[in-house]
């Protein structure tokens, strides 16, 4: 059985006051993972340090979101994103991620730092999960390269319809839902 097909459908949660933390090098390989990261994902420190952060990538997560995330932090900017991750045992968990570049004394990017919090279920259920399903379907309709382009075009159209940049969309999605917009 391939790793991508090993999913239990069980969601793991963590507390609102807990923060999952990880750090990576420039290539996205883990250099640090806090105890909560290890506990939730079900890995030991030895299993993750030096490995690509995508060791926890869930197959339902649209690649376009990661492309936007990496493009943003590589440009030296912070980014927020909703992400579904997969645990070692096939369970999954949702996070609201805040990713920032880590800088040296001269302002040069030397890695990346991510804090993840519990996302609001309402935001996930009403906006993020339906959007991600559409993006993932667009990606799956073609080969990897064309699929990513399809998903990028869909996301661009979605943001254009709302007259928002991606970061504005992420920051306002919770406010809009509380006001009854979608």
């Amino acid at each position: 059985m391939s790793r991508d097909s090993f999913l239990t459908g069980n969601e793991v949660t963590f507390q609102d006051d807990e923060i999952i933390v990880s750090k990576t090098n420039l290539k996205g390989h883990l250099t640090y993972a806090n105890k909560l990261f290890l506990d939730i994902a079900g890995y030991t420190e030895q299993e993750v340090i030096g490995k690509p952060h995508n060791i926890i990538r869930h197959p339902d997560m649209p690649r376009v979101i990661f492309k936007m995330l990496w493009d943003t932090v590589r440009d030296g900017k912070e980014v927020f994103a909703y992400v579904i991750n997969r645990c070692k045992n096939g369970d999954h968990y949702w996070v609201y991620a805040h990713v920032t570049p880590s800088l040296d004394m001269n302002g040069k990017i030397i890695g990346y730092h991510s804090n993840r919090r519990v996302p609001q279920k309402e935001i996930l259920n009403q906006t993020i999960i339906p959007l991600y399903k559409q993006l993932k379907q667009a990606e799956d309709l073609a080969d990897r390269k064309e699929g990513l382009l399809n998903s990028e075009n869909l996301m661009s159209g979605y943001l254009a319809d709302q007259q928002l940049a991606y970061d504005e969309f992420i920051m306002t999605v919770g406010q809009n839902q509380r006001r009854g917009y979608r």
Side-chain angles (χ1 to χ4, degrees):
M1 179 180 339
S2 78
R3 184 175 182 277
D4 281 347
S5 64
F6 182 62
L7 299 172
T8 66
N10 297 324
E11 183 173 0
V12 177
T13 59
F14 56 105
Q15 300 299 311
D16 288 345
D17 63 346
E18 294 180 305
I19 300 173
I20 297 172
V21 179
S22 62
K23 296 179 184 181
T24 69
N25 64 18
L26 291 173
K27 295 187 183 234
H29 291 89
L30 287 156
T31 59
Y32 172 79
N34 75 343
K35 184 177 181 330
L36 184 59
F37 177 107
L38 299 171
D39 290 347
I40 295 287
Y43 287 96
T44 65
E45 188 175 45
Q46 294 76 21
E47 289 176 301
V48 299
I49 300 302
K51 298 285 193 282
H53 200 289
N54 69 7
I55 193 171
I56 59 169
R57 186 172 189 272
H58 194 284
D60 290 343
M61 187 66 199
R63 290 183 300 126
V64 69
I65 301 300
F66 287 123
K67 181 182 183 313
M68 292 168 51
L69 184 149
W70 282 108
D71 288 350
T72 302
V73 295
R74 285 183 180 135
D75 282 345
K77 301 173 192 161
E78 70 179 346
V79 66
F80 291 86
Y82 292 90
V83 178
I84 184 172
N85 291 315
R86 177 184 23 208
C87 304
K88 182 179 178 181
N89 70 357
D91 292 348
H92 68 276
Y93 60 101
W94 280 95
V95 297
Y96 180 60
H98 177 216
V99 185
T100 60
S102 299
L103 308 175
D104 68 10
M105 299 284 274
N106 298 315
K108 180 181 175 189
I109 299 173
I110 57 171
Y112 305 99
H113 180 274
S114 179
N115 291 326
R116 272 101 64 210
R117 296 183 180 276
V118 174
Q120 293 180 22
K121 279 291 186 194
E122 181 180 327
I123 293 170
L124 292 177
N125 292 332
Q126 292 183 8
T127 303
I128 300 302
I129 291 172
L131 173 62
Y132 282 14
K133 282 182 181 177
Q134 290 178 4
L135 296 171
K136 184 70 170 117
Q137 287 172 347
E139 290 176 3
D140 291 346
L141 288 175
D143 64 35
R144 283 186 61 80
K145 185 176 180 180
E146 188 178 331
L148 182 58
L149 183 58
N150 291 343
S151 189
E152 284 180 295
N153 289 337
L154 183 62
M155 187 69 190
S156 294
Y158 181 85
L159 294 172
D161 287 347
Q162 296 193 28
Q163 299 180 329
L164 295 171
Y166 175 75
D167 59 341
E168 294 171 315
F169 162 69
I170 292 297
M171 298 306 282
T172 60
V173 68
Q175 294 170 350
N176 289 343
Q177 284 184 352
R178 285 187 292 276
R179 292 182 189 141
Y181 303 119
R182 279 196 257 181

